[in-house]
Amino acid sequence: MSEPVRTYWRSLEELAGTPEFAAFIKRRAPRFRDVISTFDRRRFLQLMAASMALGGLSGCGPEAEERQLLPYVEQPENIVPGRNRYYTGATIQDGYANGVLVAHQMARPIKVEGNPDHPASLGAASAIMQASILELYDPRRAQTIFGDGRITSWERFVSVLYSRRNSLMTGKGEGLRILSGATTSPSFASQMKKLQQQFPAMRWHQWEPLHRDGEHVSAARSFGQNADRIFDLSKAERILGVESDLISATPGWLAYARQFAAARRPVETSGVMSRVYAIESTPTLLGAKADHRLAMPPGDIAASLRYLAGLLGAGPQSWSQTESQHAHWLKAVADDLNQNKGKAFLHAGREQSVEIHLLTDAINAELGAIGNTVKLIAPVEVTAESKQQSLTDLADDMASGKVDTLIILGANPVYDAPADLDFAARLHHVPFSASLALYDDETAVACKWRIPAAHVFETWSDARAFDGTITMMQPQVRPLYSGHAAQEVMAVLLGDTSPDSYRLLRDYWQQRAQQESRGDFEPFWHNSFRDGVVAGTAEPALALKPVADLAAQIPANAGNSAQGGLQVLFRPDEGLWDGRHANNPWLLEMARAFTRLTWDNAALIAPATAKRLHLNTHDMVEIAIDQIKLKVPVFILPGQATDCITLPLGWGRAAHELGISSGFDAYTIRRSAHSWTATITSMVKTGEAYKLATTQNQDRVLGRDLIREGDLAQFNSDARTIVTEKKAESLYRPFEYPDRAWAMTVDLNSCIGCQACTIACQAENNVPIVGKDQVLAGRVMHWLRVDRYYSGPADAPDTAFEPMPCMHCEQAPCEVVCPVHATVHDHEGLNLMVYNRCVGTRFCSNNCPYKVRRFNFFGYAEENERAAESWNPEVTVRGRGVMEKCTYCIQRIRTVQIDAEKENRKIADGEVITACQQSCPTQAIVFGDRNDRGSAVASRKAWPIDYVLLEELNTRPRTSYSALIRNPNPAISQTSGSGETRGHGDNADE
């Protein structure tokens, strides 16, 4: 008996089939005959003839703005105009380094790529890493030093701080406080150590609003000392994620995502595939890729883990004798984990409590994961103390008048500190306060002094990766806005009135290299910057075992469900993170993986809960926690656990220009005692509506079998039953491509929906942002989008992600309708756009069944507040009235072709790498010459699960997909457990 066909849907409106949705689709996709019926035949042909005559004129004439171009007097060595040069560096998140290569054109940084030699990135780059280049050039950055009530100079600040240093010396630093974010920098740690020696009474505080206190505290209790957990997914055959950020946000997630995807490509692993389970309250990327997912309120997670621990022998047997509505599911998972001891592990996200992490450690120990799939290393952070407690201690000292001098380095507690600390009011009473910040943020404005910070691409520094590897960071450009590094401010406190970040870093490493007997310093120094890492600095594994009475340390009531009522979950935003990227328009306009929201956050609520409370998407509600209230719009999110509402952090800024009008500030109702989860006192529907800009119903592809899916048993039995190949038929003889035939494949099994490819394409190809109003009008410009599809019931659906670039069809329907031949085909199979021919009829977009073409309704690029030198000079910046779309990064193809022709050789496989392919952490995208039978792209296209979209249209796309394969546990019933995603084969229409 064959499996029923699975039905996929993109939104709840589509699933319900409402009349409003049908009307929306009719407006978005009018019939062609309705468009041309306003013209008679004669007038239509006249307009088309005029269009062809004018088509070539838009590329002629003088520049809009004249420029003075001066040639080099002496050509700089190794700089070739039009060719990229790459320099190593790093971006910092949570204090950890992610290695990058920054592409330069004529000494201008223009593009960020991952460093393939760096353990944290392995050549990939996240959306936030890609967007960091935009922040470098951002004209909204802090540009002036402000102090003593007026604009002043760096020299004046140094003089004032040095004088204050002398007065602090008499009291051995009494009243001096330093507040920074989490840091892993060895050179900064050395400075801090020296400062504490000079000022023994001073205190150093650290604050991260998205802290990992639960992980650090639990590690000390589990293993008897502070330690970091490192995961080896290449050895893991079973994974259980507890609202896990393992492949989305935890330090090292890019490397983990690479390992995760490699273990889930059954064609490459001889039919073997890892199995993933997920327990969570709000959807995560790991949960979306899980073979079985269980959605439950946060109060039930600890109870379920206690039950699981009792089944596995990681806790008292009595734990598994309590009643659980998910007993069948948990028993099946326990049996599966037991059968894979030494090859399985659990991972809990940063938002989980200390008790959850203790339970996770106990179960991992019982499974034999410690030392195998889970390794322990010495803490990478300089100090692993509780960030929450550290900030609370500082706030208490400020309130009691113990703080005389406060230096804030890169932190923004006025905005993101728990509201009960009232940090802004306490800061006002500090006699001397100074903030070093990239923007004039809420904290900088509240301080007596504010100093522009140097961007990470403007200064010399160092930091450590998730595994301890030290990364060397060099400036990619001179400071654009006179910014200064944290090390320079620290140097002034140490008595250096002329600090220089290069000298500070070099002096530290010269002394350390001598202590470590690294030989000649100059080769070591240059090699470290050339490679981006200091060789041999990864932390070795510690031979630690969990304490014997670990289960006894867990409170008896840790597994009890929270009392009834609604709960709020505070979670990081995928793009803005904790709010520090609120001025980055690429990240503001990036559609979120599940909601597809842009330019706003919202209260995410489960369909069942929304129905019970009579709420719809766009409704405004007032959420109260104790006496503090927040107004926020509602967004109904499939897969959200019932009775819990997720509030993404980082929005609703008070000081960032773009962030002020974007979203709602959830920090205002966050409390110290409830950093991640809190009980809602009341939630009232206000009767107002707020329009949210979501792309989930835009660019709909009207066809079937967009997502092909099967399970591992079906794949191993006969993979051809998953993808049924149709014979291409045509009345015409197909065009031959004897030389090269460029093509792309996308592995749906590997795609995790992280959006890195979207932002990489935007950075590489000068794709403009359009703003919220234009997104609402369906005019977003991204050349590559990642469609999110659901199947199954709305409260517990399965999720699939599908990147959608241009298909580069061999029988392209866009080409035959263009009246001016602006879209044409070349001899290598590329579907090209000739921008200066385009007259904006948009016939090509109407005729594209994949909806991947973008039209400049306005001069979007001209309206973007962006420095001219930040655009990629290899790609034309398009103007108003021009159609554009994915080109397979033709500029990269041409560069490699020119090199190959000059050297009289063939293009090697892997030599041409598209921007989306290069950034993808899971290697889901492969590009190359289809005619090269030994190429990676030809190999993937030969997979038995390779297919093309809308094959029945006979467009013959060059972009193809590999089917999604799941590995369900046969022991788990497909209908068991409320809130559980169903296994493969369920009929979504049931």
Side-chain angles (χ1 to χ4, degrees):
M1 181 177 179
S2 62
E3 296 281 352
V5 176
R6 174 171 287 210
T7 302
Y8 283 89
W9 44 277
R10 293 177 61 174
S11 67
L12 293 170
E13 294 84 358
E14 181 179 351
L15 179 64
T18 61
E20 293 79 6
F21 181 76
F24 169 81
I25 295 303
K26 187 175 181 180
R27 290 194 305 270
R28 293 287 298 138
R31 293 181 179 273
F32 180 70
R33 66 170 179 265
D34 297 333
V35 176
I36 66 171
S37 62
T38 56
F39 301 101
D40 59 32
R41 181 174 178 272
R42 180 184 297 275
R43 181 59 176 163
F44 181 77
L45 291 176
Q46 287 174 342
L47 289 173
M48 289 303 97
S51 297
M52 294 185 68
L54 294 171
L57 296 182
S58 60
C60 307
E63 291 184 325
E65 296 182 9
E66 293 186 4
R67 294 177 293 169
Q68 186 178 16
L69 304 179
L70 300 177
Y72 284 117
V73 177
E74 292 186 19
Q75 177 73 28
E77 186 179 2
N78 297 325
I79 291 184
V80 179
R83 292 304 176 94
N84 288 346
R85 288 174 57 83
Y86 293 89
Y87 296 88
T88 61
T91 61
I92 304 297
Q93 186 165 322
D94 284 340
Y96 292 79
N98 291 304
V100 300
L101 295 177
V102 181
H104 289 240
Q105 280 271 2
M106 305 290 288
R108 294 184 292 120
I110 60 167
K111 182 73 167 59
V112 173
E113 310 287 5
N115 183 351
D117 296 326
H118 196 277
S121 60
L122 301 177
S126 69
I128 291 177
M129 293 166 65
Q130 294 280 343
S132 63
I133 197 71
L134 202 62
E135 290 176 355
L136 170 65
Y137 289 104
D138 190 356
R140 305 175 190 85
R141 281 175 50 189
Q143 301 183 23
T144 56
I145 296 177
F146 186 90
D148 293 334
R150 64 181 186 273
I151 294 175
T152 184
S153 65
W154 169 252
E155 289 74 20
R156 173 62 180 162
F157 171 73
V158 170
S159 175
V160 171
L161 187 59
Y162 189 81
S163 298
R164 200 158 194 89
R165 173 185 182 275
N166 292 334
S167 63
L168 290 167
M169 290 286 288
T170 59
K172 297 183 178 180
E174 187 68 37
L176 174 61
R177 300 291 187 272
I178 308 292
L179 175 63
S180 72
T183 182
T184 62
S185 169
S187 60
F188 183 84
S190 175
Q191 283 184 305
M192 186 59 68
K193 184 177 180 180
K194 292 177 182 178
L195 192 66
Q196 289 172 327
Q197 290 172 351
Q198 289 190 19
F199 302 99
M202 68 152 284
R203 290 195 61 186
W204 175 26
H205 300 272
Q206 296 180 64
W207 168 240
E208 287 287 344
L210 305 179
H211 57 74
R212 299 165 59 227
D213 288 356
E215 296 180 39
H216 295 314
V217 173
S218 63
R221 290 173 58 180
S222 293
F223 306 106
Q225 68 180 71
N226 289 329
D228 283 354
R229 306 169 182 87
I230 302 296
F231 301 90
D232 189 349
L233 280 73
S234 65
K235 297 179 180 179
E237 296 184 8
R238 298 294 183 268
I239 300 172
L240 172 57
V242 183
E243 201 154 316
S244 170
D245 58 358
L246 186 65
I247 60 171
S248 56
T250 199
W253 75 267
L254 290 170
Y256 294 148
R258 176 72 56 85
Q259 295 177 346
F260 174 83
R264 291 181 65 81
R265 286 194 281 265
V267 178
E268 297 178 347
T269 56
S270 302
V272 178
M273 184 175 165
S274 65
R275 180 175 293 151
V276 181
Y277 303 95
I279 298 175
E280 55 195 27
S281 301
T282 195
T284 66
L285 295 188
L286 185 68
K289 301 302 294 183
D291 300 296
H292 296 281
R293 176 182 178 269
L294 197 59
M296 63 177 67
D300 292 344
I301 291 179
S304 296
L305 280 188
R306 285 170 65 89
Y307 189 91
L308 185 65
L311 291 172
L312 291 169
Q317 190 175 3
S318 59
W319 286 1
S320 61
Q321 294 173 352
T322 59
E323 292 187 5
S324 173
Q325 62 175 326
H326 309 297
H328 175 81
W329 196 92
L330 293 170
K331 287 177 181 177
V333 172
D335 291 341
D336 199 13
L337 295 175
N338 249 331
Q339 294 170 14
N340 289 274
K341 284 190 173 182
K343 299 177 291 184
F345 72 86
L346 275 68
H347 178 267
R350 72 179 66 211
E351 305 91 354
Q352 301 307 305
S353 66
V354 172
E355 290 73 25
I356 294 291
H357 286 287
L358 291 174
L359 285 166
T360 300
D361 288 335
I363 294 173
N364 278 333
E366 183 64 29
L367 292 175
I370 308 299
N372 291 310
T373 53
V374 181
K375 297 180 182 179
L376 303 172
I377 63 172
V380 174
E381 288 186 37
V382 175
T383 62
E385 65 176 2
S386 168
K387 306 299 185 292
Q388 179 67 70
Q389 188 59 49
S390 181
L391 187 69
T392 301
D393 292 345
L394 173 61
D396 290 344
D397 286 349
M398 292 163 60
S400 59
K402 295 180 180 179
V403 181
D404 172 74
T405 302
L406 176 61
I407 308 296
I408 302 176
L409 304 174
N412 188 12
V414 170
Y415 167 68
D416 55 32
D420 56 300
L421 296 184
D422 198 11
F423 199 91
R426 298 181 183 189
L427 177 62
H428 181 71
H429 298 294
V430 177
F432 182 90
S433 57
S435 170
L436 178 75
L438 197 64
Y439 292 89
D440 287 331
D441 57 28
E442 293 84 349
T443 300
V445 171
C447 285
K448 306 294 192 301
W449 283 80
R450 57 179 184 260
I451 300 94
H455 192 274
V456 290
F457 294 157
E458 293 177 330
T459 187
W460 300 86
S461 188
D462 54 10
R464 303 177 73 191
F466 75 105
D467 66 346
T469 299
I470 296 174
T471 305
M472 303 298 275
M473 300 160 61
Q474 58 186 316
Q476 308 295 330
V477 68
R478 290 180 180 178
L480 300 176
Y481 304 116
S482 303
H484 295 273
Q487 286 88 336
E488 296 177 31
V489 177
M490 293 290 292
V492 175
L493 284 172
L494 288 169
D496 185 352
T497 58
S498 301
D500 174 70
S501 63
Y502 174 79
R503 177 173 52 81
L504 291 170
L505 185 67
R506 184 180 172 90
D507 288 349
Y508 167 77
W509 276 103
Q510 199 158 18
Q511 182 179 4
R512 178 166 172 171
Q514 185 177 1
Q515 293 172 351
E516 295 177 355
S517 302
R518 289 187 176 268
D520 190 356
F521 177 72
E522 290 302 327
F524 160 76
W525 178 251
H526 289 288
N527 289 341
S528 296
F529 281 105
R530 181 195 63 198
D531 300 335
V533 297
V534 180
T537 53
E539 285 287 342
L542 300 175
L544 297 178
K545 298 294 182 182
V547 296
D549 58 344
L550 182 55
Q553 294 189 26
I554 304 172
N557 61 350
N560 292 343
S561 298
Q563 295 181 355
L566 295 174
Q567 290 183 289
V568 64
L569 312 178
F570 299 104
R571 296 295 184 262
D573 184 77
E574 302 164 42
L576 306 193
W577 193 233
D578 57 6
R580 67 187 62 199
H581 306 298
N583 233 26
N584 195 310
W586 286 355
L587 299 177
L588 286 166
E589 197 159 285
M590 179 186 76
R592 275 36 183 179
F594 297 100
T595 64
R596 314 304 296 157
L597 280 174
T598 67
W599 292 99
D600 271 309
N601 62 339
L604 311 181
I605 188 170
T609 306
K611 183 178 181 180
R612 190 181 77 242
L613 300 177
H614 307 290
L615 293 173
N616 295 307
T617 295
H618 307 298
D619 285 345
M620 288 290 289
V621 295
E622 186 177 72
I623 298 174
I625 297 179
D626 297 330
Q627 303 300 318
I628 310 299
K629 299 177 180 179
L630 171 69
K631 282 188 176 181
V632 63
V634 165
F635 187 92
I636 301 175
L637 179 63
Q640 177 85 352
T642 57
D643 294 331
C644 62
I645 296 172
T646 299
L647 290 177
L649 298 168
W651 295 83
R653 301 300 300 272
H656 276 35
E657 184 176 334
L658 292 178
I660 290 174
S661 58
S662 301
F664 304 84
D665 184 8
Y667 283 117
T668 58
I669 59 173
R670 197 185 190 204
R671 295 292 179 269
S672 302
H674 306 287
S675 295
W676 299 109
T677 305
T679 299
I680 295 177
T681 306
S682 67
M683 187 173 75
V684 180
K685 185 176 179 180
T686 67
E688 303 169 286
Y690 181 90
K691 198 65 176 176
L692 294 167
T694 176
T695 64
Q696 65 180 357
N697 284 328
Q698 297 176 8
D699 301 311
R700 294 184 69 250
V701 181
L702 299 177
R704 298 185 178 186
D705 297 330
L706 301 177
I707 303 288
R708 304 283 180 90
E709 181 176 342
D711 59 37
L712 187 61
Q714 185 181 5
F715 173 85
N716 287 327
S717 174
D718 187 357
R720 292 173 295 180
T721 61
I722 300 173
V723 174
T724 304
E725 185 178 359
K726 298 181 176 67
K727 183 179 179 181
E729 298 179 350
S730 176
L731 295 174
Y732 302 97
R733 183 177 179 180
F735 187 83
E736 300 294 333
Y737 297 92
D739 187 12
R740 286 182 291 263
W742 300 111
M744 177 179 287
T745 64
V746 181
D747 182 18
L748 299 185
N749 230 33
S750 299
C751 178
I752 59 175
C754 68
Q755 313 298 314
C757 55
T758 298
I759 303 302
C761 175
Q762 186 163 27
E764 172 73 19
N765 294 296
N766 296 332
V767 176
I769 59 139
V770 299
K772 180 179 177 178
D773 290 343
Q774 292 297 299
V775 174
L776 285 168
R779 296 173 177 176
V780 70
M781 294 296 292
H782 293 140
W783 286 9
L784 191 159
R785 68 180 190 270
V786 181
D787 287 340
R788 181 266 299 121
Y789 290 96
Y790 290 125
S791 64
D795 282 300
D798 284 333
T799 306
F801 298 109
E802 186 172 56
M804 290 286 289
C806 176
M807 298 294 117
H808 288 268
C809 309
E810 292 185 4
Q811 304 285 353
C814 57
E815 296 171 6
V816 296
V817 296
C818 180
V820 293
H821 294 283
T823 177
V824 295
H825 225 70
D826 78 352
H827 64 287
E828 295 179 343
L830 296 179
N831 177 249
L832 307 178
M833 272 299 304
V834 185
Y835 296 131
N836 65 349
R837 289 183 186 172
C838 182
V839 294
T841 64
R842 292 184 286 151
F843 294 164
C844 56
S845 181
N846 290 336
N847 220 38
C848 173
Y850 307 100
K851 301 307 171 192
V852 291
R853 288 177 162 265
R854 300 289 176 257
F855 183 70
N856 287 270
F857 284 89
F858 297 96
Y860 297 125
E862 299 171 7
E863 296 172 2
N864 287 183
E865 296 182 39
R866 184 174 171 184
E869 57 269 23
S870 68
W871 299 91
N872 184 357
E874 294 294 289
V875 180
T876 302
V877 179
R878 285 76 59 188
R880 182 179 182 180
V882 174
M883 187 67 68
E884 56 186 73
K885 54 113 198 158
C886 160
T887 66
Y888 275 172
C889 291
I890 190 171
Q891 66 278 6
R892 296 190 175 198
I893 296 174
R894 295 295 180 251
T895 298
V896 172
Q897 284 179 337
I898 291 170
D899 288 342
E901 289 174 3
K902 285 166 56 178
E903 298 168 12
N904 194 26
R905 61 174 177 81
K906 290 185 176 180
I907 296 176
D909 182 41
E911 197 172 357
V912 179
I913 302 176
T914 62
C916 56
Q917 175 188 7
Q918 190 162 11
S919 67
C920 181
T922 61
Q923 297 180 319
I925 301 173
V926 171
F927 177 80
D929 180 8
R930 185 183 65 182
N931 287 349
D932 180 0
R933 296 305 176 189
S935 67
V937 71
S939 175
R940 281 205 182 179
K941 283 185 174 293
W943 286 5
I945 54 175
D946 183 78
Y947 72 99
V948 297
L949 299 184
L950 307 183
E951 189 173 12
E952 62 274 13
L953 299 183
N954 201 28
T955 57
R956 300 183 184 179
R958 283 289 179 87
T959 301
S960 63
Y961 294 82
S962 301
L964 179 62
I965 306 297
R966 302 187 191 269
N967 186 13
N969 186 342
I972 295 182
S973 169
Q974 296 192 9
T975 58
S976 69
S978 173
E980 178 199 336
T981 43
R982 302 182 293 179
H984 171 68
D986 295 298
N987 192 332
D989 295 328
E990 290 180 349

